Amino acid sequence: GKLNILMSLGLTNHKRKIMKGNKDNETKPKKAKTGKFGKFLAANTVLDLLKERKETKEIITLQHNVTVERALKTLNQNKITSAPVVLAASVLDNDANDFMGIIDAGEILRKLCRETRLLEEIQKIQEQKLNVDEKIEDCERAFETSCREFWQRKLIQVCGQDVTLLPTVFADTDLKTLISQMLFDKSGNPIHRVALLNQAEVQALVTQSDVLKFLHQHKSEIGGILKEKIEDLGLYNPKKGVVTVTSDTIAMEAFHEMFQKNLSCLGIVDENGTMLGNLSVSDLRGLTVDRFSSLSHCVTEFLKISKALSRSFATVLNAQLNDLRTLAVNPGSTFEELLDLITKNRVHRAYVVDENCKPLGVITLSDVLLMLLKA
């Protein structure tokens, strides 16, 4: 039955942690002055946010025992990059849908890089003196032979835990608490979405983008910080810089570097260090088993092949950035301008560039939410 499945997966304490409130995953809110905006956050709840969310988001779940190949097809069919994994009902126990974690295309690719020799094979093919068509054929063959077993693995074997569990009645959770729990886990890693639970069943997903969109609709509550320059707010660290790859880097190598450095994105630059674009896990949207071979192309070609150009995108400063759907702002931009651009274009980050379009830093949704938490 269900208990046997949980025991076989080493998850016998999973439901117990959920029912107790999952205190291990809770992040204590950072102390901040309670000004006008702080009071606004405390006065509004998740229910208020869900009421104003114009589109109704159907919860697409994946059962723990489907194959990786099937999971990728489901993600593609629903035009999403991640979904909750739930416990499938067994013959002896018809109860199901207990939440087990989150799976996303990035986690699948991360496991693929780590547990197969595919990356090494792609690199060898690229070094050979072959024409473009021959390299494409060899890469497709390498994907087919190296990944055949991996595609048939059960989803639970590659399931990640990029989620914060809120097992209590979520309608009463105020936004100040929600934001503080969405920012980082106890290891300091950003959390991009929260699963809102009724007992152990997923009722809704709320993302950082959802929260920022709601706050943008009420930006009149934010106050004077809107008119301040981003360079004066400490939203990015110019000394830290931006991790980048050149435009001729193979996409799979770039993602591998991203995973090794525990990043969610990489900047793309030309040979002179000029900003060209952005590569992120979101760019894996639409990848199915038969499309994974596009990762053997250089990053710019990969982005053109992917669905990254499926909608118009308004950028500033450089027309080249529009080709690769990257948002760039200058250090003198105001916080309000940044907020407007991120919300309008539905992106997860903005690069800060100088007058020559060379990257100085990157501002993520986590950075923006943390700033608003302190406002």
Side-chain angles (χ1 to χ4, degrees):
K2 185 192 304 181
L3 181 59
N4 290 333
I5 294 175
L6 288 171
M7 289 178 67
S8 67
L9 296 173
L11 295 171
T12 50
N13 291 325
H14 184 82
K15 187 171 182 179
R16 189 181 308 140
K17 285 185 178 181
I18 291 177
M19 299 302 291
K20 283 184 176 180
N22 197 23
K23 293 183 179 179
D24 290 344
N25 276 350
E26 292 178 1
T27 302
K28 293 181 180 180
K30 301 179 185 300
K31 291 184 179 181
K33 296 179 180 178
T34 306
K36 177 184 175 183
F37 190 63
K39 294 178 180 177
F40 171 80
L41 292 177
N44 285 270
T45 66
V46 174
L47 182 59
D48 297 319
L49 183 154
L50 293 177
K51 284 180 179 179
E52 287 196 20
R53 194 164 70 178
K54 293 181 180 179
E55 70 277 12
T56 302
K57 295 186 178 182
E58 181 186 358
I59 302 299
I60 305 298
T61 60
L62 295 165
Q63 293 187 333
H64 81 280
N65 57 359
V66 302
T67 64
V68 172
E69 180 177 12
R70 180 60 197 165
L72 286 170
K73 285 183 180 179
T74 302
L75 293 177
N76 178 48
Q77 289 168 354
N78 292 279
K79 299 180 179 179
I80 54 179
T81 57
S82 64
V85 177
V86 298
L87 186 66
S90 67
V91 176
L92 300 176
D93 187 351
N94 290 323
D95 290 337
N97 295 324
D98 278 8
F99 176 81
M100 303 184 76
I102 287 279
I103 187 66
D104 63 50
E107 186 65 27
I108 291 174
L109 180 57
R110 182 184 287 108
K111 290 287 178 67
L112 187 65
C113 289
R114 188 164 59 228
E115 299 181 17
T116 71
R117 297 184 60 190
L118 182 60
L119 180 59
E120 181 182 337
E121 292 177 29
I122 297 298
Q123 290 170 332
K124 286 182 179 179
I125 293 171
Q126 295 297 334
E127 292 170 359
Q128 295 175 13
K129 294 182 178 180
L130 303 172
N131 62 42
V132 175
D133 290 337
E134 289 173 331
K135 285 186 178 182
I136 291 175
E137 289 180 7
D138 285 357
C139 286
E140 289 178 347
R141 195 176 302 113
F143 269 90
E144 183 179 353
T145 56
S146 297
C147 304
R148 189 179 294 119
E149 180 273 332
F150 185 86
W151 300 138
Q152 299 310 311
R153 290 187 187 182
K154 300 300 182 184
L155 191 56
I156 191 63
Q157 295 177 277
V158 294
C159 183
Q161 294 292 331
D162 181 22
V163 70
T164 293
L165 306 179
L166 300 179
T168 54
V169 179
F170 63 84
D172 295 331
T173 304
D174 68 82
L175 295 186
K176 189 171 184 180
T177 300
L178 181 66
I179 293 175
S180 66
Q181 291 178 336
M182 289 181 71
L183 288 177
F184 301 99
D185 63 19
K186 62 182 181 180
S187 299
N189 300 313
I191 297 172
H192 303 112
R193 62 190 74 81
V194 290
L196 304 167
L197 308 179
N198 180 5
Q199 298 297 322
E201 188 171 342
V202 179
Q203 296 294 303
L205 289 179
V206 176
T207 67
Q208 289 186 341
S209 295
D210 291 328
V211 178
L212 200 60
K213 184 177 180 180
F214 177 83
L215 298 181
H216 181 261
Q217 291 169 341
H218 299 274
K219 67 178 184 179
S220 60
E221 302 283 347
I222 297 176
I225 190 177
L226 287 173
K227 302 304 179 184
E228 294 189 38
K229 296 179 180 180
I230 58 177
E231 63 183 346
D232 298 329
L233 292 174
L235 277 167
Y236 69 99
N237 184 355
K239 293 182 179 180
K240 189 176 181 181
V242 177
V243 179
T244 62
V245 294
T246 54
S247 57
D248 59 353
T249 303
I250 300 303
M252 194 163 181
E253 291 180 354
F255 277 112
H256 182 59
E257 180 177 352
M258 190 187 303
F259 300 148
Q260 283 189 317
K261 295 182 177 178
N262 200 28
L263 300 172
S264 61
C265 69
L266 293 173
I268 304 172
V269 297
D270 64 15
E271 64 276 8
N272 298 314
T274 301
M275 193 77 193
L276 294 178
N278 169 72
L279 183 73
S280 73
V281 172
S282 298
D283 296 315
L284 294 172
R285 180 180 284 107
L287 278 190
T288 53
V289 168
D290 57 342
R291 294 178 184 173
F292 251 73
S293 59
S294 62
L295 288 162
S296 62
H297 295 271
C298 67
V299 288
T300 49
E301 288 303 313
F302 166 77
L303 289 174
K304 291 175 182 177
I305 292 171
S306 76
K307 294 181 179 293
L309 300 177
S310 61
R311 59 183 172 82
S312 59
F313 186 75
T315 58
V316 293
L317 297 181
N318 193 319
Q320 287 178 297
L321 297 179
N322 193 57
D323 293 336
L324 296 179
R325 289 186 66 253
T326 303
L327 185 66
V329 295
N330 61 57
S333 301
T334 65
F335 185 60
E336 183 175 19
E337 290 171 337
L338 173 68
L339 200 58
D340 290 345
L341 284 168
I342 286 179
T343 306
K344 177 183 178 181
N345 292 291
R346 294 180 291 168
V347 294
H348 297 154
R349 64 194 56 82
Y351 287 89
V352 183
V353 298
D354 64 16
E355 63 276 7
N356 297 315
C357 214
K358 293 191 176 182
L360 301 173
V362 60
I363 301 173
T364 66
L365 296 189
S366 295
D367 297 324
V368 174
L369 289 174
L370 180 59
M371 176 59 62
L372 289 172
L373 193 63
K374 296 178 180 178

